């Protein structure tokens, strides 16, 4: 960011500014990359003559820019620029898309695709390897399931990974999981050219900026991406305008994570897998697995978790774990508690260690999150996609267990910090849709107010990365904000009594867009990161 831009002073006026400093603010001054003042239209006149630029908001809403707390940036960009099957309604439709993509990219050394979900298809099965061989003309293809915890591939890609058939997770004719999946993923991403990778990263950052996202928290790691991918993304974010990138590297080698520029040896450090792939680790067996005793896969035990948390805390880095199943969450909680017994609870709480996804929680593990100061980095779009009485969760777990998943209201009541993200490309970058999913959770008892969800997707993301000075539009905060075209502002809460009081002017509660399902979501007009405009909607 240039010194010239950082010294520009900008007045925004004539809109609605969402700020706890003034719930009725209509104007804001930005100076040297920070919010300098927030206030009323009348007071803005005093600043107008001394600024470099005046932006007439024409009634638009200004909010803090969103933070997506869990993203796989390169994979997101590859889905945006390549083969995306997330909207395919059947195996037949997916097959036609694969055929067309292969025909359109004759020069690519490898074909990369994402997003198939056989649980939504009438055929109820994944594409078979021999089918993929035919569709691609025998070329290497790596095609991940929607949750990215399993993949189908062509024979040509398997041939690039000697010994893959002897690894755990390889079952001939079935999607790859575990070590076999990690091995083919490494081979697939190694075959992507540096130019392809940079193109994908630029596409992902540009798309995020167009949605009012100012910060992406990248969850990389040796089993997810590559060191070159991770450092290349951090370099790109430093050198080119766009959303800032906070890097997490999922590695038990804490020194390596620090050397790569990560703020934590965290993110998708796998304690287990996913529910969709039957690899999330459960206390009780899956309801729909061929093996009636199958409880998923455990990748980390409590002593390993404890050792890692101690190492990270002593190194001044965040620790964090991917934990979805209740048994995996229990292992993480037991490990963090053992670390607290060694180092002291105050040091563990101050380090703000994280748990990603944290879907299957109990009252006991929720209380432990609060006690240990763990941040729950969660993805409400998962419930929108897979919750409900007929969804994938109910299919995997049975309806009773499925209803316990993603209990955001209970987490907030216990005082557990929430940070919202997408896990893109698992679910799309979609911040207002994410807030809607939390406020209108498929299980009513788990719903939270729009205001609480908005906070989790703005200030909560900053807090999850260790900063308390950002994510709100108050003087002194970084000038990360977005401008939105939207309908009238309201206050929405699960309890109507709360909503009625919050709309009373005496409450001083700033409104937010009406996110009732069926209503159009706000449209981003401009995104600004540290005072620098990184997106302007065309023709606005």
């Amino acid at each position: 960011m240039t010194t010239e831009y950082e010294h520009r002073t900008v007045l925004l006026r004539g809109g609605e500014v969402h700020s706890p400093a003034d719930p009725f603010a209509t104007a804001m001054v930005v100076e040297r990359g920070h919010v300098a003042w927030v206030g009323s239209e009348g007071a803005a006149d005093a600043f107008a003559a001394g600024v470099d630029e005046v932006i007439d908001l024409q009634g638009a809403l200004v909010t803090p820019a969103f933070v997506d707390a869990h993203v796989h940036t390169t994979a997101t960009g590859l889905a945006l620029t390549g083969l995306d099957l997330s909207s395919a309604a059947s195996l037949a439709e997916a097959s036609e898309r694969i055929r067309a993509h292969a025909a359109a990219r004759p020069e690519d050394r490898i074909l990369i695709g994402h997003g198939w979900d056989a649980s939504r298809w009438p055929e109820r099965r994944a594409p078979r390897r021999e089918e993929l061989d035919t569709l691609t003309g025998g070329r290497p293809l790596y095609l991940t399931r929607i949750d990215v915890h399993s993949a189908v591939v062509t024979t040509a890609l398997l041939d690039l990974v000697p010994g893959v058939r002897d690894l755990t997770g390889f079952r001939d004719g079935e999607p790859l999981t575990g070590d076999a999946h990690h091995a083919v993923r490494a081979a697939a991403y190694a075959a992507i050219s540096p130019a392809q990778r940079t193109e994908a990263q630029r596409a992902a950052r540009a798309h995020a900026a167009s949605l009012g996202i100012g910060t992406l928290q990248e969850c990389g790691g040796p089993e997810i991406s590559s060191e070159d991918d991770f450092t290349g993304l951090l370099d790109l974010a430093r050198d080119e305008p766009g959303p800032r990138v906070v890097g997490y590297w999922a590695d038990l080698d804490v020194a390596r994570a620090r050397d790569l520029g990560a703020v934590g040896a965290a993110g998708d450090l796998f304690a287990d897998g996913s529910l969709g792939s039957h690899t999330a680790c459960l206390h009780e067996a899956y309801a729909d697995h061929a093996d009636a005793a199958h409880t998923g896969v455990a990748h980390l035990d409590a002593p390993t978790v404890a050792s890692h948390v101690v190492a990270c805390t002593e190194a001044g880095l965040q620790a964090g774990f991917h934990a979805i199943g209740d048994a995996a969450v229990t292992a993480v909680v037991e490990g963090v508690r053992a670390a607290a017994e060694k180092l002291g609870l105050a040091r563990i709480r101050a380090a703000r260690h994280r748990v990603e996804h944290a879907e299957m929680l109990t009252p006991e593990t929720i209380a432990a999150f609060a006690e240990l100061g763990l941040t729950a980095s969660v993805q409400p779009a998962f419930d929108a996609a897979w919750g409900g009485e007929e969804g994938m969760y109910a299919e995997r777990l049975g309806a009773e267990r499925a209803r316990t998943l993603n209990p955001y209201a209970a987490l907030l009541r216990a005082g557990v910090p929430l940070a919202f993200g997408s896990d893109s490309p698992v679910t799309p970058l979609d911040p207002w849709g994410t807030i809607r999913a939390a406020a209108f959770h498929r299980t009513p008892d788990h719903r939270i107010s729009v205001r609480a969800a908005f906070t989790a997707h703005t200030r909560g993301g900053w807090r999850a990365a260790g900063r308390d000075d950002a994510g709100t539009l108050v003087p002194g905060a970084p000038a990360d904000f977005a401008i939105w075209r939207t309908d009238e502002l309201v206050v929405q809460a699960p309890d109507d009594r709360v909503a009625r009081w919050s709309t009373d002017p005496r409450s001083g509660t700033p409104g937010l867009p009406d996110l009732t399902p069926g209503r159009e979501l706000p449209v981003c007009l401009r995104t600004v990161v540290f005072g620098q405009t990184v997106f302007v909607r065309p023709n606005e």
Side-chain angles (χ1 to χ4, degrees):
M1 299 174 190
T2 65
T3 302
E4 176 186 356
Y5 193 94
E6 289 176 6
H7 284 275
R8 287 177 58 79
T9 303
V10 180
L11 169 64
L12 300 92
R13 64 184 305 179
E16 301 275 356
V17 180
H18 186 90
S19 172
D22 183 347
F24 309 108
T26 61
M28 181 171 75
V29 173
V30 173
E31 185 175 21
R32 295 176 182 259
H34 291 79
V35 177
W37 172 84
V38 174
S40 67
E41 193 62 29
D45 290 335
F47 294 96
V51 300
D52 300 305
E53 181 183 3
V54 177
I55 295 176
D56 182 358
L57 295 170
Q58 299 180 24
L61 171 67
V62 183
T63 71
F66 288 108
V67 177
D68 193 307
H70 192 119
V71 178
H72 305 286
T73 307
T74 301
T76 296
L78 289 169
L80 289 168
T81 60
L83 175 57
D84 182 3
L85 300 181
S86 59
S87 62
S90 66
L91 174 59
E93 181 182 342
S95 298
E96 185 51 42
R97 291 192 191 184
I98 294 167
R99 186 194 306 277
H101 181 74
R105 309 284 295 224
E107 304 302 320
D108 286 2
R109 291 182 292 179
I110 185 165
L111 302 170
I112 304 286
H114 167 73
W116 60 269
D117 185 356
S119 70
R120 297 180 179 176
W121 293 345
E123 298 90 346
R124 306 295 290 180
R125 68 170 179 85
R128 298 190 176 103
R129 190 164 71 247
E130 61 270 19
E131 294 170 335
L132 297 175
D133 289 346
T134 300
L135 292 168
T136 61
R139 295 163 65 191
L141 166 70
Y142 171 67
L143 192 58
T144 47
R145 190 187 181 278
I146 187 72
D147 59 9
V148 199
H149 283 271
S150 58
V152 291
V153 302
T154 55
T155 303
L157 180 54
L158 285 181
D159 291 344
L160 295 177
V161 189
V164 66
R165 290 170 172 82
D166 298 323
L167 297 176
T168 58
F170 183 89
R171 296 180 299 280
D172 203 20
E174 297 291 327
L176 303 177
T177 61
D179 291 343
H181 178 212
H182 298 157
V184 296
R185 174 162 52 196
Y189 281 109
I192 296 172
S193 69
Q196 275 181 290
R197 186 173 64 217
T198 300
E199 175 196 17
Q201 292 171 348
R202 285 181 175 139
R205 292 181 74 228
H207 183 57
S210 76
L211 298 170
I213 297 171
T215 299
L216 299 170
Q217 294 184 2
E218 165 69 11
C219 292
E223 295 183 346
I224 303 160
S225 52
S226 70
E227 293 183 3
D228 287 344
D229 180 272
F230 186 74
T231 57
L233 174 62
L234 295 182
D235 290 343
L236 184 74
R238 277 191 294 265
D239 295 341
E240 297 183 6
R244 67 182 83 232
V245 175
V246 177
Y248 288 92
W249 184 251
D251 200 332
L252 292 174
D253 185 342
V254 175
R256 188 63 191 147
R258 166 174 276 169
D259 290 346
L260 291 173
V263 300
D268 273 332
L269 184 53
F270 296 120
D272 66 346
S274 74
L275 291 166
S277 292
H278 291 102
T279 51
C281 190
L282 314 180
H283 285 305
E284 298 179 15
Y286 282 85
D288 67 338
H289 197 273
D291 177 357
H294 181 71
T295 57
V297 181
H299 295 300
L300 299 173
D301 59 15
T304 304
V305 170
S307 176
H308 185 64
V309 171
V310 168
C312 286
T313 305
E314 292 182 330
L317 295 178
Q318 286 179 286
F321 306 91
H322 162 120
I324 287 178
D326 49 4
V329 173
T330 296
V332 168
V333 163
E334 290 177 352
V336 178
R337 183 172 281 125
E341 290 171 358
K342 180 173 182 178
L343 297 181
L345 180 60
R347 287 187 69 184
I348 295 300
R349 289 179 59 86
R352 297 188 183 180
H353 301 308
R354 301 169 52 138
V355 182
E356 308 297 319
H357 314 308
E359 293 198 71
M360 292 187 71
L361 296 164
T362 64
E364 291 75 24
T365 51
I366 290 172
F369 272 46
E371 174 196 358
L372 299 166
L374 295 172
T375 295
S377 171
V378 296
Q379 296 74 39
F382 287 7
D383 174 73
W386 303 310
E389 297 294 309
E390 306 297 326
M392 181 271 287
Y393 290 154
E395 187 175 311
R396 294 288 185 271
L397 303 172
E400 184 176 351
R401 273 193 295 175
R403 282 192 289 270
T404 69
L405 265 60
N406 303 302
Y408 305 135
L411 285 163
L412 283 182
R413 283 195 299 269
V416 177
L418 291 183
F420 280 178
S422 62
D423 199 10
S424 180
V426 175
T427 59
L429 299 172
D430 180 15
W432 288 113
T434 294
I435 294 169
R436 172 185 280 170
F440 295 91
H441 197 295
R442 288 178 180 272
T443 303
D445 287 348
H446 299 332
R447 293 175 180 173
I448 61 176
S449 69
V450 167
R451 183 185 183 193
F454 178 82
T455 299
H457 220 341
T458 51
R459 189 177 185 183
W462 284 95
R463 189 196 180 285
R467 289 187 61 175
D468 293 324
D469 62 339
T472 57
L473 299 179
V474 297
D480 282 31
F481 61 89
I483 302 175
W484 306 91
R485 182 171 65 235
T486 187
D487 294 332
E488 65 173 320
L489 305 182
V490 299
V491 175
Q492 287 176 298
D495 186 332
D496 183 57
R497 293 168 300 173
V498 175
R500 287 200 306 273
W501 164 244
S502 297
T503 54
D504 189 305
R506 292 170 297 171
S507 75
T509 302
L512 285 165
D514 186 347
L515 301 183
T516 302
R519 296 186 67 95
E520 289 190 14
L521 294 175
V523 174
C524 185
L525 305 179
R526 180 185 296 236
T527 304
V528 174
V529 176
F530 201 60
Q532 182 175 31
T533 298
V534 298
F535 168 76
V536 176
R537 187 172 182 82
N539 304 317
E540 294 286 349

